[in-house]
Amino acid sequence: KNEVEQSPQNLTAQEGEFITINCSYSVGISALHWLQQHPGGGIVSLFMLSSGKKKHGRLIATINIQEKHSSLHITASHPRDSAVYICAVRKNTDKLIFGTGTRLQVFP
Amino acid sequence: EPEVTQTPSHQVTQMGQEVILRCVPISNHLYFYWYRQILGQKVEFLVSFYNNEISEKSEIFDDQFSVERPDGSNFTLKIRSTKLEDSAMYFCASRGGLAGLDEQFFGPGTRLTVL
């Protein structure tokens, strides 16, 4: 079983829709990352969370440590948000353990 | 804004050849990492590096792999004798390490194709 599970695997939306991507993990963690990977392959760090909630522009990330769950929300989605969104966790060592990603397509 | 850079962006090599993938981490960062992503699969940790030595490595990082920080700026991943299954996107990452729990910043990746 994967230590980090994401849902859904694929997501399509119309421009303007509110989007939620979920991440569940089965191990104790020190931090959780949300990352964005564009079709060219590059990875951009969106958030790093160890508790609570963070907001950056139209993106909001929350984490519930007790339930071992995190969500990434995108408000007023736009076609340029189309990408793969990856959840990754940091355990008690330094390495990141990645989920399989959620492929998001936003249509105009 | 400072960023992690990687060269080359795409490397094609013959099976059995040695390749060196290069990374320039963000200046003043102390912790360095290599990850790889086989096409269609999730990103996997290879190795972490701090204070001029390997901190942790995965099962993937066998004797065919090595890392080096030859000078104050570059961080390299060498694959001694490439196999077909080494074809993947290789990402370098770095983090400052001064603030305790801080973010890793990723480079744009090197796509390695082994023929």
Side-chain angles (χ1 to χ4, degrees), chain B residues 26-59:
Chain B
I26 293 172
S27 178
N28 296 325
H29 276 194
L30 302 176
Y31 294 82
F32 313 110
Y33 311 85
W34 283 103
Y35 295 90
R36 80 168 185 193
Q37 185 179 33
I38 294 170
L39 187 64
Q41 297 186 22
K42 63 182 179 180
V43 180
E44 302 171 287
F45 169 79
L46 289 178
V47 66
S48 58
F49 191 85
Y50 169 72
N51 200 26
N52 278 320
E53 58 182 33
I54 291 173
S55 313
E56 188 176 1
K57 59 183 181 178
S58 71
E59 291 173 355

PDB file of all heavy atoms in Angstrom, chain B residues 26-59:
ATOM      1  N   ILE B  26      20.483  26.398  -5.000  1.00  0.00           N
ATOM      2  CA  ILE B  26      20.387  27.790  -4.600  1.00  0.00           C
ATOM      3  C   ILE B  26      21.571  28.124  -3.677  1.00  0.00           C
ATOM      4  O   ILE B  26      21.891  27.343  -2.771  1.00  0.00           O
ATOM      5  CB  ILE B  26      19.038  28.070  -3.915  1.00  0.00           C
ATOM      6  CG1 ILE B  26      17.908  27.912  -4.944  1.00  0.00           C
ATOM      7  CG2 ILE B  26      19.006  29.453  -3.274  1.00  0.00           C
ATOM      8  CD1 ILE B  26      16.516  27.983  -4.373  1.00  0.00           C
ATOM      9  N   SER B  27      22.154  29.258  -3.959  1.00  0.00           N
ATOM     10  CA  SER B  27      23.328  29.680  -3.200  1.00  0.00           C
ATOM     11  C   SER B  27      23.008  29.736  -1.704  1.00  0.00           C
ATOM     12  O   SER B  27      21.927  30.154  -1.313  1.00  0.00           O
ATOM     13  CB  SER B  27      23.741  31.064  -3.701  1.00  0.00           C
ATOM     14  OG  SER B  27      24.824  31.555  -2.997  1.00  0.00           O
ATOM     15  N   ASN B  28      23.907  29.275  -0.891  1.00  0.00           N
ATOM     16  CA  ASN B  28      23.779  29.253   0.573  1.00  0.00           C
ATOM     17  C   ASN B  28      22.875  28.145   1.089  1.00  0.00           C
ATOM     18  O   ASN B  28      22.687  28.038   2.301  1.00  0.00           O
ATOM     19  CB  ASN B  28      23.293  30.596   1.142  1.00  0.00           C
ATOM     20  CG  ASN B  28      24.295  31.709   0.875  1.00  0.00           C
ATOM     21  OD1 ASN B  28      25.488  31.479   0.893  1.00  0.00           O
ATOM     22  ND2 ASN B  28      23.793  32.891   0.605  1.00  0.00           N
ATOM     23  N   HIS B  29      22.294  27.344   0.207  1.00  0.00           N
ATOM     24  CA  HIS B  29      21.572  26.176   0.689  1.00  0.00           C
ATOM     25  C   HIS B  29      22.565  25.118   1.147  1.00  0.00           C
ATOM     26  O   HIS B  29      23.690  25.030   0.640  1.00  0.00           O
ATOM     27  CB  HIS B  29      20.653  25.624  -0.409  1.00  0.00           C
ATOM     28  CG  HIS B  29      19.338  26.337  -0.473  1.00  0.00           C
ATOM     29  ND1 HIS B  29      18.260  25.840  -1.176  1.00  0.00           N
ATOM     30  CD2 HIS B  29      18.914  27.488   0.094  1.00  0.00           C
ATOM     31  CE1 HIS B  29      17.239  26.668  -1.032  1.00  0.00           C
ATOM     32  NE2 HIS B  29      17.607  27.671  -0.276  1.00  0.00           N
ATOM     33  N   LEU B  30      22.121  24.312   2.106  1.00  0.00           N
ATOM     34  CA  LEU B  30      23.033  23.357   2.744  1.00  0.00           C
ATOM     35  C   LEU B  30      22.676  21.895   2.453  1.00  0.00           C
ATOM     36  O   LEU B  30      23.517  21.024   2.616  1.00  0.00           O
ATOM     37  CB  LEU B  30      23.018  23.561   4.260  1.00  0.00           C
ATOM     38  CG  LEU B  30      23.412  24.967   4.753  1.00  0.00           C
ATOM     39  CD1 LEU B  30      23.260  25.045   6.263  1.00  0.00           C
ATOM     40  CD2 LEU B  30      24.842  25.308   4.340  1.00  0.00           C
ATOM     41  N   TYR B  31      21.433  21.644   2.072  1.00  0.00           N
ATOM     42  CA  TYR B  31      20.958  20.275   1.889  1.00  0.00           C
ATOM     43  C   TYR B  31      20.592  20.074   0.417  1.00  0.00           C
ATOM     44  O   TYR B  31      19.920  20.914  -0.173  1.00  0.00           O
ATOM     45  CB  TYR B  31      19.720  20.006   2.755  1.00  0.00           C
ATOM     46  CG  TYR B  31      20.000  20.050   4.238  1.00  0.00           C
ATOM     47  CD1 TYR B  31      20.050  21.265   4.909  1.00  0.00           C
ATOM     48  CD2 TYR B  31      20.221  18.881   4.951  1.00  0.00           C
ATOM     49  CE1 TYR B  31      20.316  21.316   6.267  1.00  0.00           C
ATOM     50  CE2 TYR B  31      20.479  18.927   6.314  1.00  0.00           C
ATOM     51  CZ  TYR B  31      20.538  20.140   6.965  1.00  0.00           C
ATOM     52  OH  TYR B  31      20.802  20.189   8.298  1.00  0.00           O
ATOM     53  N   PHE B  32      21.022  18.948  -0.128  1.00  0.00           N
ATOM     54  CA  PHE B  32      20.844  18.709  -1.552  1.00  0.00           C
ATOM     55  C   PHE B  32      20.276  17.314  -1.761  1.00  0.00           C
ATOM     56  O   PHE B  32      20.559  16.390  -0.988  1.00  0.00           O
ATOM     57  CB  PHE B  32      22.186  18.852  -2.286  1.00  0.00           C
ATOM     58  CG  PHE B  32      22.932  20.081  -1.883  1.00  0.00           C
ATOM     59  CD1 PHE B  32      24.097  19.993  -1.138  1.00  0.00           C
ATOM     60  CD2 PHE B  32      22.462  21.340  -2.228  1.00  0.00           C
ATOM     61  CE1 PHE B  32      24.772  21.137  -0.740  1.00  0.00           C
ATOM     62  CE2 PHE B  32      23.124  22.489  -1.827  1.00  0.00           C
ATOM     63  CZ  PHE B  32      24.286  22.380  -1.087  1.00  0.00           C
ATOM     64  N   TYR B  33      19.481  17.180  -2.839  1.00  0.00           N
ATOM     65  CA  TYR B  33      18.748  15.944  -3.079  1.00  0.00           C
ATOM     66  C   TYR B  33      18.714  15.627  -4.569  1.00  0.00           C
ATOM     67  O   TYR B  33      18.737  16.522  -5.411  1.00  0.00           O
ATOM     68  CB  TYR B  33      17.281  16.097  -2.622  1.00  0.00           C
ATOM     69  CG  TYR B  33      17.127  16.662  -1.237  1.00  0.00           C
ATOM     70  CD1 TYR B  33      17.126  18.043  -1.030  1.00  0.00           C
ATOM     71  CD2 TYR B  33      17.004  15.830  -0.125  1.00  0.00           C
ATOM     72  CE1 TYR B  33      17.001  18.576   0.246  1.00  0.00           C
ATOM     73  CE2 TYR B  33      16.871  16.356   1.150  1.00  0.00           C
ATOM     74  CZ  TYR B  33      16.883  17.732   1.318  1.00  0.00           C
ATOM     75  OH  TYR B  33      16.769  18.256   2.585  1.00  0.00           O
ATOM     76  N   TRP B  34      18.626  14.342  -4.868  1.00  0.00           N
ATOM     77  CA  TRP B  34      18.271  13.890  -6.199  1.00  0.00           C
ATOM     78  C   TRP B  34      17.038  13.002  -6.090  1.00  0.00           C
ATOM     79  O   TRP B  34      16.953  12.136  -5.197  1.00  0.00           O
ATOM     80  CB  TRP B  34      19.411  13.106  -6.852  1.00  0.00           C
ATOM     81  CG  TRP B  34      20.508  13.966  -7.377  1.00  0.00           C
ATOM     82  CD1 TRP B  34      21.726  14.195  -6.813  1.00  0.00           C
ATOM     83  CD2 TRP B  34      20.504  14.713  -8.599  1.00  0.00           C
ATOM     84  NE1 TRP B  34      22.477  15.043  -7.586  1.00  0.00           N
ATOM     85  CE2 TRP B  34      21.751  15.379  -8.689  1.00  0.00           C
ATOM     86  CE3 TRP B  34      19.580  14.894  -9.637  1.00  0.00           C
ATOM     87  CZ2 TRP B  34      22.084  16.200  -9.763  1.00  0.00           C
ATOM     88  CZ3 TRP B  34      19.914  15.707 -10.695  1.00  0.00           C
ATOM     89  CH2 TRP B  34      21.156  16.358 -10.753  1.00  0.00           C
ATOM     90  N   TYR B  35      16.099  13.239  -7.015  1.00  0.00           N
ATOM     91  CA  TYR B  35      14.906  12.418  -7.162  1.00  0.00           C
ATOM     92  C   TYR B  35      14.821  12.001  -8.610  1.00  0.00           C
ATOM     93  O   TYR B  35      15.392  12.639  -9.495  1.00  0.00           O
ATOM     94  CB  TYR B  35      13.644  13.235  -6.823  1.00  0.00           C
ATOM     95  CG  TYR B  35      13.538  13.681  -5.389  1.00  0.00           C
ATOM     96  CD1 TYR B  35      14.069  14.917  -4.995  1.00  0.00           C
ATOM     97  CD2 TYR B  35      12.899  12.909  -4.435  1.00  0.00           C
ATOM     98  CE1 TYR B  35      13.959  15.353  -3.672  1.00  0.00           C
ATOM     99  CE2 TYR B  35      12.778  13.337  -3.115  1.00  0.00           C
ATOM    100  CZ  TYR B  35      13.324  14.551  -2.749  1.00  0.00           C
ATOM    101  OH  TYR B  35      13.221  14.978  -1.449  1.00  0.00           O
ATOM    102  N   ARG B  36      14.057  10.945  -8.867  1.00  0.00           N
ATOM    103  CA  ARG B  36      13.820  10.605 -10.263  1.00  0.00           C
ATOM    104  C   ARG B  36      12.348  10.268 -10.460  1.00  0.00           C
ATOM    105  O   ARG B  36      11.646   9.884  -9.524  1.00  0.00           O
ATOM    106  CB  ARG B  36      14.695   9.433 -10.705  1.00  0.00           C
ATOM    107  CG  ARG B  36      14.167   8.083 -10.297  1.00  0.00           C
ATOM    108  CD  ARG B  36      14.884   6.963 -10.985  1.00  0.00           C
ATOM    109  NE  ARG B  36      14.244   5.698 -10.642  1.00  0.00           N
ATOM    110  CZ  ARG B  36      14.770   4.513 -10.888  1.00  0.00           C
ATOM    111  NH1 ARG B  36      15.958   4.426 -11.474  1.00  0.00           N
ATOM    112  NH2 ARG B  36      14.127   3.421 -10.563  1.00  0.00           N
ATOM    113  N   GLN B  37      11.911  10.408 -11.705  1.00  0.00           N
ATOM    114  CA  GLN B  37      10.534  10.083 -12.069  1.00  0.00           C
ATOM    115  C   GLN B  37      10.554   9.346 -13.404  1.00  0.00           C
ATOM    116  O   GLN B  37      10.826   9.943 -14.448  1.00  0.00           O
ATOM    117  CB  GLN B  37       9.683  11.353 -12.176  1.00  0.00           C
ATOM    118  CG  GLN B  37       8.204  11.078 -12.424  1.00  0.00           C
ATOM    119  CD  GLN B  37       7.401  12.362 -12.499  1.00  0.00           C
ATOM    120  OE1 GLN B  37       7.882  13.396 -12.953  1.00  0.00           O
ATOM    121  NE2 GLN B  37       6.156  12.306 -12.042  1.00  0.00           N
ATOM    122  N   ILE B  38      10.272   8.050 -13.331  1.00  0.00           N
ATOM    123  CA  ILE B  38      10.108   7.268 -14.553  1.00  0.00           C
ATOM    124  C   ILE B  38       8.796   7.688 -15.192  1.00  0.00           C
ATOM    125  O   ILE B  38       7.811   7.988 -14.484  1.00  0.00           O
ATOM    126  CB  ILE B  38      10.130   5.768 -14.235  1.00  0.00           C
ATOM    127  CG1 ILE B  38      11.527   5.375 -13.730  1.00  0.00           C
ATOM    128  CG2 ILE B  38       9.743   4.933 -15.436  1.00  0.00           C
ATOM    129  CD1 ILE B  38      11.631   3.984 -13.160  1.00  0.00           C
ATOM    130  N   LEU B  39       8.770   7.730 -16.509  1.00  0.00           N
ATOM    131  CA  LEU B  39       7.607   8.213 -17.243  1.00  0.00           C
ATOM    132  C   LEU B  39       6.322   7.518 -16.781  1.00  0.00           C
ATOM    133  O   LEU B  39       6.254   6.288 -16.754  1.00  0.00           O
ATOM    134  CB  LEU B  39       7.816   7.986 -18.739  1.00  0.00           C
ATOM    135  CG  LEU B  39       6.765   8.588 -19.665  1.00  0.00           C
ATOM    136  CD1 LEU B  39       6.753  10.107 -19.565  1.00  0.00           C
ATOM    137  CD2 LEU B  39       7.005   8.144 -21.105  1.00  0.00           C
ATOM    138  N   GLY B  40       5.352   8.326 -16.378  1.00  0.00           N
ATOM    139  CA  GLY B  40       4.060   7.778 -15.973  1.00  0.00           C
ATOM    140  C   GLY B  40       4.005   7.316 -14.525  1.00  0.00           C
ATOM    141  O   GLY B  40       2.963   6.846 -14.068  1.00  0.00           O
ATOM    142  N   GLN B  41       5.126   7.445 -13.805  1.00  0.00           N
ATOM    143  CA  GLN B  41       5.157   6.985 -12.414  1.00  0.00           C
ATOM    144  C   GLN B  41       5.376   8.164 -11.463  1.00  0.00           C
ATOM    145  O   GLN B  41       5.565   9.299 -11.892  1.00  0.00           O
ATOM    146  CB  GLN B  41       6.257   5.939 -12.235  1.00  0.00           C
ATOM    147  CG  GLN B  41       6.026   4.686 -13.066  1.00  0.00           C
ATOM    148  CD  GLN B  41       7.037   3.603 -12.775  1.00  0.00           C
ATOM    149  OE1 GLN B  41       7.668   3.576 -11.713  1.00  0.00           O
ATOM    150  NE2 GLN B  41       7.199   2.692 -13.721  1.00  0.00           N
ATOM    151  N   LYS B  42       5.343   7.851 -10.180  1.00  0.00           N
ATOM    152  CA  LYS B  42       5.514   8.933  -9.211  1.00  0.00           C
ATOM    153  C   LYS B  42       6.986   9.247  -9.001  1.00  0.00           C
ATOM    154  O   LYS B  42       7.876   8.479  -9.380  1.00  0.00           O
ATOM    155  CB  LYS B  42       4.855   8.568  -7.886  1.00  0.00           C
ATOM    156  CG  LYS B  42       5.455   7.371  -7.194  1.00  0.00           C
ATOM    157  CD  LYS B  42       4.690   7.065  -5.910  1.00  0.00           C
ATOM    158  CE  LYS B  42       5.245   5.858  -5.219  1.00  0.00           C
ATOM    159  NZ  LYS B  42       4.517   5.558  -3.967  1.00  0.00           N
ATOM    160  N   VAL B  43       7.235  10.402  -8.434  1.00  0.00           N
ATOM    161  CA  VAL B  43       8.594  10.818  -8.127  1.00  0.00           C
ATOM    162  C   VAL B  43       9.136   9.965  -6.978  1.00  0.00           C
ATOM    163  O   VAL B  43       8.422   9.673  -6.013  1.00  0.00           O
ATOM    164  CB  VAL B  43       8.616  12.314  -7.738  1.00  0.00           C
ATOM    165  CG1 VAL B  43      10.024  12.771  -7.402  1.00  0.00           C
ATOM    166  CG2 VAL B  43       8.018  13.178  -8.852  1.00  0.00           C
ATOM    167  N   GLU B  44      10.415   9.567  -7.109  1.00  0.00           N
ATOM    168  CA  GLU B  44      11.039   8.721  -6.088  1.00  0.00           C
ATOM    169  C   GLU B  44      12.324   9.366  -5.578  1.00  0.00           C
ATOM    170  O   GLU B  44      13.105   9.908  -6.356  1.00  0.00           O
ATOM    171  CB  GLU B  44      11.412   7.360  -6.678  1.00  0.00           C
ATOM    172  CG  GLU B  44      10.284   6.578  -7.283  1.00  0.00           C
ATOM    173  CD  GLU B  44      10.803   5.362  -8.023  1.00  0.00           C
ATOM    174  OE1 GLU B  44      11.386   5.522  -9.114  1.00  0.00           O
ATOM    175  OE2 GLU B  44      10.620   4.235  -7.512  1.00  0.00           O
ATOM    176  N   PHE B  45      12.538   9.247  -4.297  1.00  0.00           N
ATOM    177  CA  PHE B  45      13.750   9.748  -3.682  1.00  0.00           C
ATOM    178  C   PHE B  45      14.939   8.868  -4.055  1.00  0.00           C
ATOM    179  O   PHE B  45      14.853   7.639  -4.061  1.00  0.00           O
ATOM    180  CB  PHE B  45      13.557   9.746  -2.164  1.00  0.00           C
ATOM    181  CG  PHE B  45      14.802   9.984  -1.362  1.00  0.00           C
ATOM    182  CD1 PHE B  45      15.306  11.260  -1.201  1.00  0.00           C
ATOM    183  CD2 PHE B  45      15.456   8.925  -0.747  1.00  0.00           C
ATOM    184  CE1 PHE B  45      16.439  11.481  -0.440  1.00  0.00           C
ATOM    185  CE2 PHE B  45      16.587   9.121   0.007  1.00  0.00           C
ATOM    186  CZ  PHE B  45      17.086  10.407   0.159  1.00  0.00           C
ATOM    187  N   LEU B  46      16.064   9.511  -4.377  1.00  0.00           N
ATOM    188  CA  LEU B  46      17.305   8.767  -4.618  1.00  0.00           C
ATOM    189  C   LEU B  46      18.288   8.946  -3.465  1.00  0.00           C
ATOM    190  O   LEU B  46      18.748   7.986  -2.866  1.00  0.00           O
ATOM    191  CB  LEU B  46      17.970   9.239  -5.915  1.00  0.00           C
ATOM    192  CG  LEU B  46      17.300   8.881  -7.220  1.00  0.00           C
ATOM    193  CD1 LEU B  46      18.071   9.480  -8.384  1.00  0.00           C
ATOM    194  CD2 LEU B  46      17.173   7.384  -7.385  1.00  0.00           C
ATOM    195  N   VAL B  47      18.618  10.217  -3.162  1.00  0.00           N
ATOM    196  CA  VAL B  47      19.708  10.452  -2.224  1.00  0.00           C
ATOM    197  C   VAL B  47      19.608  11.865  -1.660  1.00  0.00           C
ATOM    198  O   VAL B  47      19.105  12.769  -2.311  1.00  0.00           O
ATOM    199  CB  VAL B  47      21.064  10.247  -2.948  1.00  0.00           C
ATOM    200  CG1 VAL B  47      21.271  11.301  -4.020  1.00  0.00           C
ATOM    201  CG2 VAL B  47      22.233  10.202  -1.998  1.00  0.00           C
ATOM    202  N   SER B  48      20.056  12.003  -0.420  1.00  0.00           N
ATOM    203  CA  SER B  48      20.204  13.340   0.181  1.00  0.00           C
ATOM    204  C   SER B  48      21.663  13.521   0.593  1.00  0.00           C
ATOM    205  O   SER B  48      22.365  12.550   0.897  1.00  0.00           O
ATOM    206  CB  SER B  48      19.262  13.527   1.369  1.00  0.00           C
ATOM    207  OG  SER B  48      19.497  12.552   2.355  1.00  0.00           O
ATOM    208  N   PHE B  49      22.090  14.763   0.628  1.00  0.00           N
ATOM    209  CA  PHE B  49      23.525  15.072   0.772  1.00  0.00           C
ATOM    210  C   PHE B  49      23.660  16.311   1.634  1.00  0.00           C
ATOM    211  O   PHE B  49      22.992  17.321   1.403  1.00  0.00           O
ATOM    212  CB  PHE B  49      24.084  15.336  -0.629  1.00  0.00           C
ATOM    213  CG  PHE B  49      25.576  15.415  -0.735  1.00  0.00           C
ATOM    214  CD1 PHE B  49      26.336  14.268  -0.891  1.00  0.00           C
ATOM    215  CD2 PHE B  49      26.232  16.644  -0.739  1.00  0.00           C
ATOM    216  CE1 PHE B  49      27.712  14.332  -1.039  1.00  0.00           C
ATOM    217  CE2 PHE B  49      27.598  16.722  -0.881  1.00  0.00           C
ATOM    218  CZ  PHE B  49      28.350  15.569  -1.034  1.00  0.00           C
ATOM    219  N   TYR B  50      24.507  16.206   2.651  1.00  0.00           N
ATOM    220  CA  TYR B  50      24.721  17.345   3.553  1.00  0.00           C
ATOM    221  C   TYR B  50      26.136  17.282   4.087  1.00  0.00           C
ATOM    222  O   TYR B  50      26.632  16.200   4.409  1.00  0.00           O
ATOM    223  CB  TYR B  50      23.704  17.301   4.699  1.00  0.00           C
ATOM    224  CG  TYR B  50      24.002  18.271   5.820  1.00  0.00           C
ATOM    225  CD1 TYR B  50      23.823  19.636   5.635  1.00  0.00           C
ATOM    226  CD2 TYR B  50      24.477  17.818   7.055  1.00  0.00           C
ATOM    227  CE1 TYR B  50      24.106  20.536   6.652  1.00  0.00           C
ATOM    228  CE2 TYR B  50      24.766  18.713   8.071  1.00  0.00           C
ATOM    229  CZ  TYR B  50      24.581  20.070   7.871  1.00  0.00           C
ATOM    230  OH  TYR B  50      24.857  20.957   8.878  1.00  0.00           O
ATOM    231  N   ASN B  51      26.765  18.424   4.174  1.00  0.00           N
ATOM    232  CA  ASN B  51      28.096  18.506   4.760  1.00  0.00           C
ATOM    233  C   ASN B  51      29.070  17.565   4.049  1.00  0.00           C
ATOM    234  O   ASN B  51      29.861  16.866   4.697  1.00  0.00           O
ATOM    235  CB  ASN B  51      28.014  18.182   6.262  1.00  0.00           C
ATOM    236  CG  ASN B  51      29.219  18.693   7.033  1.00  0.00           C
ATOM    237  OD1 ASN B  51      29.862  19.655   6.629  1.00  0.00           O
ATOM    238  ND2 ASN B  51      29.525  18.023   8.129  1.00  0.00           N
ATOM    239  N   ASN B  52      28.938  17.544   2.732  1.00  0.00           N
ATOM    240  CA  ASN B  52      29.843  16.773   1.873  1.00  0.00           C
ATOM    241  C   ASN B  52      29.765  15.262   2.038  1.00  0.00           C
ATOM    242  O   ASN B  52      30.731  14.545   1.724  1.00  0.00           O
ATOM    243  CB  ASN B  52      31.302  17.218   2.054  1.00  0.00           C
ATOM    244  CG  ASN B  52      31.603  18.449   1.230  1.00  0.00           C
ATOM    245  OD1 ASN B  52      31.142  18.569   0.098  1.00  0.00           O
ATOM    246  ND2 ASN B  52      32.341  19.366   1.808  1.00  0.00           N
ATOM    247  N   GLU B  53      28.637  14.794   2.540  1.00  0.00           N
ATOM    248  CA  GLU B  53      28.462  13.353   2.560  1.00  0.00           C
ATOM    249  C   GLU B  53      26.990  12.985   2.398  1.00  0.00           C
ATOM    250  O   GLU B  53      26.108  13.816   2.620  1.00  0.00           O
ATOM    251  CB  GLU B  53      29.047  12.742   3.836  1.00  0.00           C
ATOM    252  CG  GLU B  53      28.468  13.265   5.129  1.00  0.00           C
ATOM    253  CD  GLU B  53      29.156  12.639   6.330  1.00  0.00           C
ATOM    254  OE1 GLU B  53      30.365  12.352   6.254  1.00  0.00           O
ATOM    255  OE2 GLU B  53      28.461  12.438   7.338  1.00  0.00           O
ATOM    256  N   ILE B  54      26.770  11.753   1.997  1.00  0.00           N
ATOM    257  CA  ILE B  54      25.409  11.259   1.821  1.00  0.00           C
ATOM    258  C   ILE B  54      24.751  11.105   3.185  1.00  0.00           C
ATOM    259  O   ILE B  54      25.303  10.487   4.097  1.00  0.00           O
ATOM    260  CB  ILE B  54      25.404   9.917   1.068  1.00  0.00           C
ATOM    261  CG1 ILE B  54      25.824  10.133  -0.390  1.00  0.00           C
ATOM    262  CG2 ILE B  54      24.041   9.248   1.137  1.00  0.00           C
ATOM    263  CD1 ILE B  54      26.015   8.853  -1.183  1.00  0.00           C
ATOM    264  N   SER B  55      23.543  11.705   3.334  1.00  0.00           N
ATOM    265  CA  SER B  55      22.777  11.586   4.575  1.00  0.00           C
ATOM    266  C   SER B  55      21.897  10.354   4.538  1.00  0.00           C
ATOM    267  O   SER B  55      21.726   9.679   5.542  1.00  0.00           O
ATOM    268  CB  SER B  55      21.872  12.803   4.769  1.00  0.00           C
ATOM    269  OG  SER B  55      22.559  13.996   4.549  1.00  0.00           O
ATOM    270  N   GLU B  56      21.298  10.130   3.394  1.00  0.00           N
ATOM    271  CA  GLU B  56      20.363   9.019   3.249  1.00  0.00           C
ATOM    272  C   GLU B  56      20.309   8.642   1.770  1.00  0.00           C
ATOM    273  O   GLU B  56      20.456   9.502   0.903  1.00  0.00           O
ATOM    274  CB  GLU B  56      18.974   9.447   3.733  1.00  0.00           C
ATOM    275  CG  GLU B  56      17.962   8.337   3.802  1.00  0.00           C
ATOM    276  CD  GLU B  56      16.631   8.784   4.374  1.00  0.00           C
ATOM    277  OE1 GLU B  56      16.475   9.978   4.702  1.00  0.00           O
ATOM    278  OE2 GLU B  56      15.735   7.932   4.491  1.00  0.00           O
ATOM    279  N   LYS B  57      20.098   7.369   1.505  1.00  0.00           N
ATOM    280  CA  LYS B  57      19.923   6.943   0.127  1.00  0.00           C
ATOM    281  C   LYS B  57      18.861   5.862   0.067  1.00  0.00           C
ATOM    282  O   LYS B  57      18.637   5.147   1.041  1.00  0.00           O
ATOM    283  CB  LYS B  57      21.235   6.447  -0.481  1.00  0.00           C
ATOM    284  CG  LYS B  57      21.868   5.288   0.250  1.00  0.00           C
ATOM    285  CD  LYS B  57      23.210   4.938  -0.396  1.00  0.00           C
ATOM    286  CE  LYS B  57      23.823   3.750   0.335  1.00  0.00           C
ATOM    287  NZ  LYS B  57      25.098   3.328  -0.272  1.00  0.00           N
ATOM    288  N   SER B  58      18.224   5.752  -1.096  1.00  0.00           N
ATOM    289  CA  SER B  58      17.180   4.747  -1.258  1.00  0.00           C
ATOM    290  C   SER B  58      17.785   3.475  -1.828  1.00  0.00           C
ATOM    291  O   SER B  58      18.967   3.427  -2.207  1.00  0.00           O
ATOM    292  CB  SER B  58      16.092   5.277  -2.188  1.00  0.00           C
ATOM    293  OG  SER B  58      16.572   5.350  -3.514  1.00  0.00           O
ATOM    294  N   GLU B  59      16.932   2.457  -1.916  1.00  0.00           N
ATOM    295  CA  GLU B  59      17.368   1.179  -2.493  1.00  0.00           C
ATOM    296  C   GLU B  59      17.763   1.334  -3.960  1.00  0.00           C
ATOM    297  O   GLU B  59      18.543   0.565  -4.487  1.00  0.00           O
ATOM    298  CB  GLU B  59      16.235   0.159  -2.387  1.00  0.00           C
ATOM    299  CG  GLU B  59      15.942  -0.272  -0.974  1.00  0.00           C
ATOM    300  CD  GLU B  59      14.698  -1.144  -0.894  1.00  0.00           C
ATOM    301  OE1 GLU B  59      14.018  -1.339  -1.918  1.00  0.00           O
ATOM    302  OE2 GLU B  59      14.396  -1.613   0.217  1.00  0.00           O
TER     303      GLU B  59
END
